[in-house]
Amino acid sequence: MSAFTVINPSTGAAIREVPRADVGQTDAAIARAVKAQRHWAALAPVARADALRAFARAVGGAAEELAQLEVLNSGHPIGAARWEASHVAQVLNYYSADPERLSGRQIPVAGGIDITFHDPYGVIGVIVPWNFPMPIAIWAVAPALAAGNAVVLKPAELTPLTALRIGELAVEAGMPEGLLEIVTGSGSVIGQRFVEHPDVRKVVFTGSTAVGIEVAAGCARALKPVTLELGGKSSNIVFADADLERAVAAVPGSVFDNAGQDCCARSRLLVQRSVYDRVLELLEPAVTGWRVGDPADADSDMGPLISAGHRDTVASFLDDANIAFRGSAPEGDGFWFAPTVVLAEPSDRIAQQEVFGPVLAVIPFEDEADAIRLANDTVYGLAGSLWTENLGRAVRVARGVQSGVLSVNSHASVRYSTPFGGMKASGLGRELGPDAAEHFTETKNVFFATDEH
Ligand code: TXE
């Protein structure tokens, strides 16, 4: 089997070689998953629930190891990486209730009894990007397994290490061999095979909108359902009646967390014109105080970008930008990029396209209607925030902005117990929340005649 080298983005140094699977090896993984799924779905519901809880405990016990691996492979600050590793255990725990709770319905009909069943699809193909390797993987894996499926998972080439370790932990915890297959290598080979292979019955894709459209087109040809979590250009709307100190203090985290490599990044800051100068005045020290450095250091707010190529892409957005001020970043071999605040017009490239880096575009607005219009003036519709002390306005604006996930006087986007996903070019379908396991099932309706013949 050929291999590829995984790089530490903080230093540019090689970490280790990882196998590059070809189509034959991908097919073999799918075949193992098909076999494991039959056994898994036949287990008693409580046995599947217990196995998922054991998997959650194994991840919880290895949380520090997984966090350190993510610092090394993805450059996530250690505090964030620890949160991500324990989030994996929590998501598994949350969905471990579903094997015993995924009940169908009994529907009143004439002449008999009618019952619906939630049947698993069989094997689910999960394609994961590099920005949040652990959370994005488990958002699909946990509910898919809970619903009685097997999973074949392809991590991003840049960040496969935590997924490989989670796959080992599943087996160490007693999950059946083959039930969670981690297949490493290229998207156009393995991801494409998941789309085409007849035994993969549903695909979950997170990544760029361009590749997501191709994945959806391939799934359409195979008549296969697909969930898409794609890009974002989310707005953080600050009204003049907001608690400005609180709102501005939260801005750096809303866009610079994970070095801006976050589909929910509030990369547009819409500010009511009457407080525009005041907000910029408060924002500058908050941005220059954002600590960029060694992600292993607990005092770092932000690590490097994921790769040299991605740093070039992010930097290209500043070529024609009107930079207001920047923070600082280390020199050296890592893929460092200083947090940057740009003054923008709504139609500017930087206000329309996903930068996926620590760059904030600030845009003034006049009134409530103008704020909603600007927030919706994008092809995307994933997340967003609004800051106001006026309850009626909060309700009106939250209802008016076309995004799948919004927060008022907060930037929270992801909780495993609430639905997550995008409108418009940000995606199709929803992950997480109470209904996620059901999304990995097909409804079967069975009628039992009871009339005597
Ligand atoms: O994504 P890709 P990349 C955006 C972000 C970023 C850009 C490129 O702007 O800069 O996309 O990132 C697999 N069939 N987002 O190149 O290529 C691939 O191997 C099936 C936003 O990493 O979409 C990887 O596992 N699969 C987004 C996954 O798809 C294929 C998160 C994503 O890769 C494939 C990530 C194919 N033909 C990137 N080609 C967000 N907003 O969260 C590639 N893949």
Side-chain angles (χ1 to χ4, degrees):
M1 193 185 276
S2 67
F4 61 99
T5 308
V6 179
I7 303 291
N8 177 346
S10 302
T11 61
I15 306 171
R16 76 158 115 122
E17 299 284 295
V18 168
R20 181 184 292 287
D22 59 20
V23 170
Q25 287 149 344
T26 306
D27 285 359
I30 295 169
R32 288 193 295 274
V34 167
K35 200 164 153 234
Q37 192 268 333
R38 287 197 196 111
H39 164 68
W40 177 242
L43 289 177
V46 68
R48 279 185 276 129
D50 280 346
L52 285 166
R53 287 181 196 119
F55 186 10
R57 279 194 301 277
V59 170
E64 184 60 24
E65 178 197 353
L66 287 166
Q68 296 291 349
L69 213 47
E70 208 64 280
V71 170
L72 191 69
N73 190 176
S74 302
H76 292 192
I78 181 65
R82 285 188 180 127
W83 181 90
E84 290 161 22
S86 29
H87 179 72
V88 173
Q90 287 163 354
V91 174
L92 283 165
N93 258 327
Y94 181 72
Y95 289 105
S96 70
D98 272 312
E100 297 185 282
R101 299 222 172 113
L102 256 184
S103 45
R105 304 171 77 182
Q106 178 265 312
I107 299 169
V109 291
I113 296 170
D114 193 280
I115 303 178
T116 63
F117 296 88
H118 290 301
D119 282 1
Y121 279 103
V123 176
I124 309 293
V126 178
I127 303 170
V128 179
W130 46 259
N131 59 330
F132 286 107
M134 285 194 275
I136 291 173
I138 210 66
W139 295 350
V141 167
L145 294 179
N149 300 280
V151 171
V152 287
L153 182 139
K154 196 204 84 64
E157 289 103 302
L158 293 168
T159 57
L161 298 188
T162 46
L164 285 169
R165 186 67 191 115
I166 288 170
E168 290 168 1
L169 287 165
V171 176
E172 287 168 21
M175 299 284 287
E177 297 257 2
L179 194 67
L180 173 58
E181 287 279 330
I182 312 296
V183 192
T184 52
S186 118
S188 56
V189 175
I190 302 163
Q192 183 62 26
R193 193 65 189 146
F194 289 178
V195 170
E196 287 169 353
H197 197 295
D199 286 338
V200 176
R201 294 305 315 141
K202 176 170 181 168
V203 172
V204 178
F205 171 87
T206 305
S208 61
T209 298
V211 175
I213 288 169
E214 290 310 311
V215 166
C219 286
R221 277 191 290 277
L223 282 181
K224 203 176 277 194
V226 62
T227 299
L228 301 174
E229 299 289 358
L230 308 174
K233 194 73 204 177
S234 300
S235 289
N236 177 12
I237 309 172
V238 177
F239 286 95
D241 63 16
D243 177 338
L244 290 187
E245 274 76 14
R246 208 174 133 224
V248 175
V251 168
S254 79
V255 58
F256 302 143
D257 260 353
N258 202 22
Q261 303 165 126
D262 181 343
C263 47
C264 295
R266 274 55 168 179
S267 53
R268 293 186 299 163
L269 176 63
L270 309 184
V271 185
Q272 194 151 20
R273 198 180 291 280
S274 56
V275 292
Y276 181 80
D277 290 341
R278 176 73 184 134
V279 163
L280 283 175
E281 190 186 353
L282 289 168
L283 186 57
E284 184 161 2
V287 170
T288 51
W290 188 251
R291 292 159 304 189
V292 183
D294 180 359
D297 180 346
D299 287 334
S300 295
D301 295 313
M302 183 179 123
L305 291 171
I306 193 64
S307 68
H310 187 55
R311 185 176 54 181
D312 292 345
T313 308
V314 172
S316 74
F317 278 93
L318 298 187
D319 289 347
D320 48 1
N322 178 9
I323 296 175
F325 43 84
R326 301 191 76 177
S328 56
E331 306 283 315
D333 291 334
F335 312 127
W336 304 103
F337 199 89
T340 305
V341 175
V342 163
L343 307 182
E345 298 293 325
S347 60
D348 289 352
R349 186 168 76 109
I350 200 141
Q352 291 293 330
Q353 294 181 17
E354 185 176 46
V355 178
F356 227 51
V359 182
L360 176 68
V362 188
I363 302 166
F365 69 84
E366 305 303 332
D367 56 18
E368 202 177 296
D370 197 30
I372 295 173
R373 182 185 63 77
L374 286 172
N376 290 336
D377 178 23
T378 161
V379 296
Y380 296 113
L382 185 51
S385 307
L386 59 114
W387 295 76
T388 175
E389 296 293 300
N390 178 325
L391 178 61
R393 165 168 292 157
V395 173
R396 287 190 299 273
V397 178
R399 299 302 304 271
V401 175
Q402 295 164 326
S403 285
V405 188
L406 285 159
S407 27
V408 178
N409 295 332
S410 155
H411 293 302
S413 300
V414 169
R415 258 173 253 90
Y416 54 77
S417 53
T418 58
F420 175 79
M423 295 179 178
K424 295 155 67 181
S426 290
L428 279 181
R430 294 293 178 271
E431 300 193 276
L432 299 177
D435 304 325
E438 199 177 315
H439 298 161
F440 291 99
T441 66
E442 295 194 274
T443 301
K444 176 185 285 173
N445 190 74
V446 183
F447 170 70
F448 299 86
T450 53
D451 288 350
E452 286 194 82
H453 300 291

